[in-house]
Amino acid sequence: MAINITVQKTTKPKSKPDPAKLGFGKFFTDHQFMMEYTKGKGWHDPRIVPYGPLPLDPANSALHYGQSIFEGMKSYKAPDGRILLFRPRKNIERLNNSCDRMCMPAVDIEDTMAALKMLIKLDSDWIPTAAGTSLYIRPFMFGNDPFLGVRAADTYLFLIILSPVGAYFPQGINPVRIHVESVYVRAVKGGTGEAKACGNYAGSMKAQMEAAKNGYVQVLWLDGIEKKFVEEVGAMNVFFKIGGRAVTAPLEGTILPGVTRDSVIQLLRRDNVPVEERKYSIQEVYEAHDRGQLDEAFGTGTAAVISPIGQLHWNNRTITINNEKTGPLAKKLYDTLTGIQYGTVKDEFGWIEEVK
Ligand SMILES: *Cc1c(COP(=O)(O)O)cnc(C)c1O
């Protein structure tokens, strides 16, 4: 059933931000998509309206109990002017998986794709074109009952907002320093680690702040039980290249199944680089370093695409990886993935979807 989206255009278009000062998540386009869910009725009133604040009851259930999830993806303008999306259905499927974990209603994938494309087309003037810039897409959903009982809500709001964002690495892709967290944990099996559930991020901020005080831009999370096995980094999955093989943690319920992670695995397999999705300890990483076999390390995620890691700090011992230079594998993956996303490298996987 095709979705019938009403459109109310803004009468006060905003002026566009300076493309050199975009940063991340500071500016929003002229419109937002929204729809409501009511138990017994399903999703209703899909509409595009001027971007603006939401009226919320102070007893709103998401504010009190955190029944709230989100997604993150990007739209890119190709040099020939086409507007491209990278594997957007994977994000909507993951949104539905997050919803399932948090007892929230799924959205229809094709209806949501239609809404997303309509919104992007309407605000397409906002897609920045300078190298490395893009339009960040933030779909999100939350419980909207004015009720203080702890239970899954009967009503929900689903929205999509758009934010023009600058290049993640304005000076070119550059390795970062990472603190390996051994006090706080992010997730345990059976918890909510594999959902993009809002509370996971609030819970990670304390470790992040303490690491930042010591000059580390992100934390690397270890497993929540033994604090031994490598899980992921901030809002990125993580790969180590050890003795010619790429190693990353398996999807066993505690890490976020990244679209970038999956894409990197497919690219590595195509290029005959051995990939292992398995449990591996931070001790193994340090031992590989000491044997001279830790070739490279990098995070993968929508924001940075590939973020090389130049230094790790764990239990008072700091190691340097590839002399804090971007390694050849990270560079190649970055160039290939961003090339596919901006439409300048052939998309042999069928990952790109055009907004027409
Ligand atoms: C979003 C996210 C990722 C990366 O997922 P992508 O789909 O590649 O952007 C990894 N880890 C966490 C915790 C995340 O929230």
Side-chain angles (χ1 to χ4, degrees), residues 70 72 91 94 186 196 201 232-237 256-261 300-303:
F70 69 99
N91 290 88
R94 189 171 67 189
R186 195 190 90 94
K196 250 177 145 69
Y201 301 83
E232 56 184 325
V233 170
M236 288 189 282
N237 297 111
L256 211 284
V259 177
T260 321
R261 173 190 181 277
T300 68
T302 295

Side-chain angles (χ1 to χ4, degrees), residues 20 38 61-62 70 96 102 137 139 154 187 202 283 304 317 334:
T38 308
S61 53
F70 69 99
N96 281 342
M102 306 306 283
I137 301 163
D154 289 337
Q283 185 74 37
R317 187 173 162 220
Y334 180 82

Side-chain angles (χ1 to χ4, degrees), residues 149-196:
V150 181
R151 57 140 166 81
D154 289 337
T155 56
Y156 295 85
L157 262 183
F158 173 71
L159 290 98
I160 305 174
I161 56 175
L162 307 174
S163 172
V165 297
Y168 192 88
F169 296 108
Q171 270 85 45
I173 163 176
N174 220 352
V176 294
R177 297 181 170 181
I178 302 280
H179 172 70
V180 180
E181 181 56 51
S182 35
V183 176
Y184 303 107
V185 300
R186 195 190 90 94
V188 290
K189 240 181 235 188
T192 58
E194 67 183 337
K196 250 177 145 69

